[in-house]
Amino acid sequence: MPRSPHAADHVAALTTIWREVLRNDHLDATADLFENGGTSLHVLQIVGRIYDTLGVEVRPRHVFLHASPQDLTAFLVEDPASERPAGRRSDDDRTHSRPRR
């Protein structure tokens, strides 16, 4: 459940994104992306739309781990470091990056 007006705005925006990407107007804030036909391609579309709509960089793994608008918002609210402008990386991102081959 959103704890702030900012979180409520995020839930509403993410729910709209889920509905548009999955082409299903009946989805709500608790709709699981993958239980509703989502694929990895949809995840990439969602990541792009989140940036376009909210100006927030969300990594694909965040969407995989938090597959509903409500869960993803809770993650963003609990971990403000994950909610940063695009192009900025945290120490956490560098730690979990795969080594280059």
Side-chain angles (χ1 to χ4, degrees), residues 3 10 56-59 61-62 65-66 71-84 90-93 96:
R3 293 186 295 251
H10 274 34
V56 173
E57 180 182 80
V58 175
R59 299 175 64 84
R61 70 174 174 198
H62 297 149
L65 295 172
H66 311 283
D71 289 345
L72 186 56
T73 298
F75 168 74
L76 294 173
V77 170
E78 289 175 13
D79 184 11
S82 66
E83 186 176 341
R84 59 190 175 279
S90 71
D91 291 337
D92 179 55
D93 289 338
H96 296 309

Side-chain angles (χ1 to χ4, degrees), residues 14 18 32-34 39 42-44 46-47 50 58-68 72 75:
L14 293 178
W18 256 240
D32 183 280
L33 175 68
F34 303 105
T39 65
H42 291 115
V43 170
L44 296 176
I46 287 171
V47 167
I50 291 171
V58 175
R59 299 175 64 84
R61 70 174 174 198
H62 297 149
V63 179
F64 277 106
L65 295 172
H66 311 283
S68 75
L72 186 56
F75 168 74

Side-chain angles (χ1 to χ4, degrees), residues 8-67:
D9 291 343
H10 274 34
V11 170
L14 293 178
T15 301
T16 298
I17 291 169
W18 256 240
R19 288 174 179 165
E20 291 173 351
V21 169
L22 294 175
R23 296 182 180 161
N24 182 342
D25 292 334
H26 302 290
L27 298 177
D28 64 13
T30 62
D32 183 280
L33 175 68
F34 303 105
E35 290 175 5
N36 288 284
T39 65
S40 56
L41 204 51
H42 291 115
V43 170
L44 296 176
Q45 292 173 346
I46 287 171
V47 167
R49 290 195 187 198
I50 291 171
Y51 178 75
D52 291 344
T53 302
L54 301 174
V56 173
E57 180 182 80
V58 175
R59 299 175 64 84
R61 70 174 174 198
H62 297 149
V63 179
F64 277 106
L65 295 172
H66 311 283

